[in-house]
Amino acid sequence: MFPAYATLRAQTSHRAGVVTLSIQIGDGQIPAGSFRAEIRPNRSMSSRNLVVMVICLTVVCLTIGLSFFSLGLWLVLPFAGLEIFVVGVVVGYTIRRSDDHEVVLVTEDDVVVTKHEGRLTREAKFQKYWAWVRLEPGITRMQPSRLKIGSHGRFVEIGKAIEDRERRELSARLKQVLRAAV
Amino acid sequence: MATAEVAHHDHHDHHPTGLMRWVTTTNHKDIGTLYLIFAFIMFLLGGAMALVIRAELFQPGLQVVDPHFFNQMTTVHALVMVFGAIMPGMVGFANWQIPLMIGAPDMALPRLNNWSFWILPFAATLLMSSFLTGGGGPAAGWTLYAPLTIQGGMGVDLTIFAVHMLGVSSVLGAINIIVTVFNMRAPGMHFMKMPLFVWTWLITAFLLIAVMPVFAGAVTMLLTDRHFGTAFFDPAGGGDPVLFQHIFWFFGHPEVYIMILPAFGIISAIIPTFSRKPLFGYTSMVLAVAGIAFLSFIVWAHHMFTVGMPLVGEIYFMYATMLIAVPTGVKIFNWVATMWRGSMTFETPMLFGVGVVFLFTIGGLSGLMLGITPADFQYHDTYFVVAHFHYVLFSGSAMAMMGGTYYWLPKWTGHMYDEKLGKWHFWLTSIFFNIAFFPQHFLGLAGMPRRIPDYALQFTEFNVISSIGAFGLGITQLLFGYIVYKCIKGGEKATSEVWDNPEGLEWTLPSPPPYHTFETPPVVK
């Protein structure tokens, strides 16, 4: 039995993100022979643990706020509540964005780039035989390179969550896959 | 979703240059630089106020300013140094170093980071504008004790709004640091592998979140007492001024640790590098920092022994205060043990590192003296207290930041600083600091009260010495500004490691590090 994807390369020790490149070699949801790259930023804590952290902070802040409330200094409590609300919003936002990722799927005829950002899923589709990959160096030495894929003058940027070296590798791999198709 | 929208979304990586780069930046390095520049400007501003104080105290009698303005100087000097110099300075270090140290590409919430910083200049302007109001700036001391602040002029209102804004900035910064450290550590960077600087800032961030609402509530209640007919602290309406002291110090004592814990982190980075040994007792250091943070919540009333607490309360707060000496002692011991039999060299950062350990210990010991209830009845509100907290905050926090600046400046700028001038800066700072503040111990023990513009003749000699030291210390800091400026403009190229085999992910990057990302992948073993 083959797994759905056989991972060619799975990097796990990058600062900025993780790239998983796979090629379909058995039964799965994508056509056989297609190429798939998934790019997701590094996240070091699970959503559950972030929620636990917020709950702990809430308990501490509310305990302090309620203690002063019991002494008649009630105005501490609204500030504690406001602060916890901000912490909650920020952590909620972080959790919502923790599953952000990009998928580049090269099938027999198409290149499909799907970006998952929060609740939004955006997809761009290009004809495989016209698609090309462009790796632009940073405008200055201090800026990162930019990896774009597209055709007919329309390009989308991919791989912003990974570092320059990984972008170079991803670029080379995508070029190889597209070249093989021609 | 349409491709066009995706493409449009993709162009935000270009950023403006010139002034707008700094206004709109969301880059942690840019924002760290802004924080550090702001902190240095406020440090000079607060220092200038200190020199007004020392000029007046150079001789007995009133020579330079009137007593009311003198009180404004003591108050705003402290507020500027605490909220404008030390705290933003430490946040500047956090912004620069935490992402580099944990292997994150940036802070977790970059736009919030920009906002956190840009609140500060407006808050500082608001605080300074209090001098322009009818009654002048706040003159009740940085503790803003009621009922004096209830009676103050409009300057107190501006101060209250200013500290609110400064508090908002601090809380947002703290939230950002917590989320960054929790969620953006590189794979393999477990909590117990994090550099101690990151640990100290993580714990500091939790302290900030716990106590800032208390401070915000306290000053808001002051405001309502002043303008909305409440009587939380106004005895005329049945309020309790002592309650303000309790609530203030419940915030104020952790605030002291908010200023010193990141300094411990900086020293814990410097000493191992120049001792060429790993930090001794890493786990005990982490536990000591956490222990200090916890104890900071249960010792606040040692600032108010003379207020008339029940004896049981006095004894409790005395013993609780003594407990802080244990984790602090652990840290001092570990730093010394790190140096023990190390191949030590004394470049400028190490000079500051050793200087901080030595001078902070003096401040810690005088703190122990102040923590003894019966002794505190003698020392309370004297110059002994002034000497104590300057040994903790200047030779602890400020000098640690100076040492940290020299330590990481080659990494930040890509140039080596002028080592000779750096050493001059250290020695002049240390010598003038001791000339300025060591005699204040004697003044306090002899009974000279703090916050007075005039004094009895027997205190003259020590005050003259102290003022000479203060002016020397102030002028020396201009040299610091020049050294940093010179290093930014050019100098010998710094290597990636800068120092002899230092530990930490930041040293795997080129100097200066790339604007956005890393050229060499980190290895977290």
Side-chain angles (χ1 to χ4, degrees), chain B residues 336-407:
Chain B
V336 174
T338 304
M339 289 186 267
W340 177 253
R341 292 186 173 174
S343 300
M344 291 170 69
T345 51
F346 292 93
E347 289 87 343
T348 308
M350 184 60 164
L351 287 175
F352 274 97
V354 176
V356 167
V357 173
F358 182 73
L359 295 172
F360 174 79
T361 304
I362 295 176
L365 291 174
S366 60
L368 273 179
M369 292 168 71
L370 286 161
I372 301 166
T373 309
D376 185 72
F377 276 73
Q378 172 69 21
Y379 308 142
H380 189 84
D381 257 349
T382 69
Y383 257 83
F384 191 83
V385 181
V386 180
H388 156 70
F389 66 69
H390 280 94
Y391 268 83
V392 173
L393 289 181
F394 187 91
S395 62
S397 302
M399 281 179 65
M401 281 199 283
M402 290 170 196
T405 303
Y406 286 115
Y407 185 55

Side-chain angles (χ1 to χ4, degrees), chain B residues 116-285:
Chain B
S116 301
F117 171 76
W118 280 108
I119 290 173
L120 286 180
F122 295 99
T125 307
L126 203 60
L127 182 61
M128 290 303 141
S129 63
S130 67
F131 286 117
L132 306 175
T133 59
W142 85 283
T143 52
L144 303 172
Y145 274 0
L148 195 51
T149 34
I150 295 172
Q151 298 157 4
M154 192 186 160
V156 177
D157 299 322
L158 294 181
T159 305
I160 289 172
F161 287 126
V163 295
H164 261 301
M165 289 169 72
L166 293 163
V168 168
S169 169
S170 299
V171 166
L172 295 180
I175 293 170
N176 213 342
I177 286 168
I178 289 173
V179 178
T180 304
V181 174
F182 271 50
N183 209 31
M184 295 185 72
R185 281 167 290 120
M189 177 64 76
H190 307 301
F191 276 110
M192 291 313 282
K193 284 186 178 175
M194 290 196 311
L196 211 72
F197 178 74
V198 181
W199 260 114
T200 55
W201 243 116
L202 182 64
I203 290 169
T204 299
F206 279 114
L207 279 182
L208 269 167
I209 286 184
V211 298
M212 272 301 168
V214 178
F215 187 49
V219 294
T220 305
M221 283 183 274
L222 266 186
L223 198 69
T224 60
D225 273 10
R226 285 168 57 80
H227 296 295
F228 300 103
T230 60
F232 290 107
F233 311 119
D234 187 357
D240 184 359
V242 175
L243 205 53
F244 182 84
Q245 295 190 27
H246 279 290
I247 193 169
F248 179 84
W249 285 114
F250 187 84
F251 149 79
H253 196 76
E255 171 68 19
V256 173
Y257 292 101
I258 285 164
M259 289 187 279
I260 196 66
L261 291 183
F264 289 169
I266 293 172
I267 298 305
S268 300
I270 292 173
I271 288 179
T273 297
F274 296 97
S275 303
R276 288 157 185 83
K277 278 174 65 187
L279 185 68
F280 183 87
Y282 170 87
T283 308
S284 65
M285 288 294 241

Side-chain angles (χ1 to χ4, degrees), chain B residues 36-95:
Chain B
L36 290 170
I37 292 171
F38 174 82
F40 187 65
I41 291 169
M42 296 304 280
F43 181 62
L44 294 182
L45 195 62
M49 292 176 194
L51 295 186
V52 172
I53 295 167
R54 287 316 317 173
E56 179 55 54
L57 293 173
F58 187 68
Q59 291 288 306
L62 297 175
Q63 289 92 14
V64 183
V65 292
D66 66 76
H68 183 55
F69 189 72
F70 182 91
N71 287 341
Q72 292 173 45
M73 287 289 102
T74 56
T75 304
V76 183
H77 159 72
L79 288 170
V80 164
M81 286 304 195
V82 169
F83 293 107
I86 306 254
M87 285 174 69
M90 291 300 183
V91 180
F93 275 95
N95 260 287

Side-chain angles (χ1 to χ4, degrees), chain A residues 14-181:
Chain A
H14 299 302
R15 283 206 141 135
V18 178
V19 188
T20 307
L21 305 181
S22 2
I23 193 161
Q24 176 66 16
I25 55 173
D27 290 337
Q29 294 175 334
I30 60 172
S34 57
F35 168 84
R36 185 178 189 274
E38 185 175 314
I39 305 147
R40 54 175 70 235
N42 171 47
R43 296 284 179 256
S44 52
M45 183 158 271
S46 67
S47 301
R48 185 175 167 274
N49 286 348
L50 281 173
V51 171
V52 170
M53 186 268 289
V54 173
I55 290 170
C56 292
L57 266 182
T58 305
V59 169
V60 171
C61 288
L62 289 186
T63 304
I64 293 170
L66 287 169
S67 304
F68 282 111
F69 182 86
S70 70
L71 293 168
L73 303 174
W74 60 270
L75 261 169
V76 173
L77 200 53
F79 283 105
L82 182 65
E83 188 184 61
I84 289 304
F85 173 74
V86 174
V87 172
V89 168
V90 163
V91 172
Y93 171 82
T94 306
I95 290 171
R96 197 150 52 86
R97 301 305 293 258
S98 62
D99 195 37
D100 283 6
H101 62 279
E102 297 167 339
V103 177
V104 182
L105 183 63
V106 183
T107 62
E108 196 176 347
D109 297 320
D110 300 308
V111 176
V112 184
V113 178
T114 312
K115 292 192 172 197
H116 301 269
E117 293 174 344
R119 290 176 189 146
L120 285 177
T121 299
R122 301 191 279 193
E123 192 175 283
K125 201 169 184 178
F126 307 101
Q127 290 177 25
K128 183 176 173 183
Y129 293 99
W130 291 101
W132 58 300
V133 176
R134 217 162 61 187
L135 182 66
E136 299 172 356
I139 295 168
T140 66
R141 189 174 63 87
M142 295 170 79
Q143 291 185 339
S145 60
R146 305 176 76 191
L147 179 59
K148 294 177 179 177
I149 188 165
S151 71
H152 299 87
R154 289 189 306 120
F155 284 87
V156 291
E157 186 175 354
I158 55 173
K160 286 170 72 171
I162 53 178
E163 62 187 55
D164 276 357
R165 188 184 59 81
E166 292 169 316
R167 257 191 298 272
R168 282 197 298 273
E169 288 176 11
L170 180 61
S171 168
R173 189 78 179 97
L174 281 170
K175 280 176 182 168
Q176 187 188 6
V177 169
L178 291 177
R179 217 173 20 241

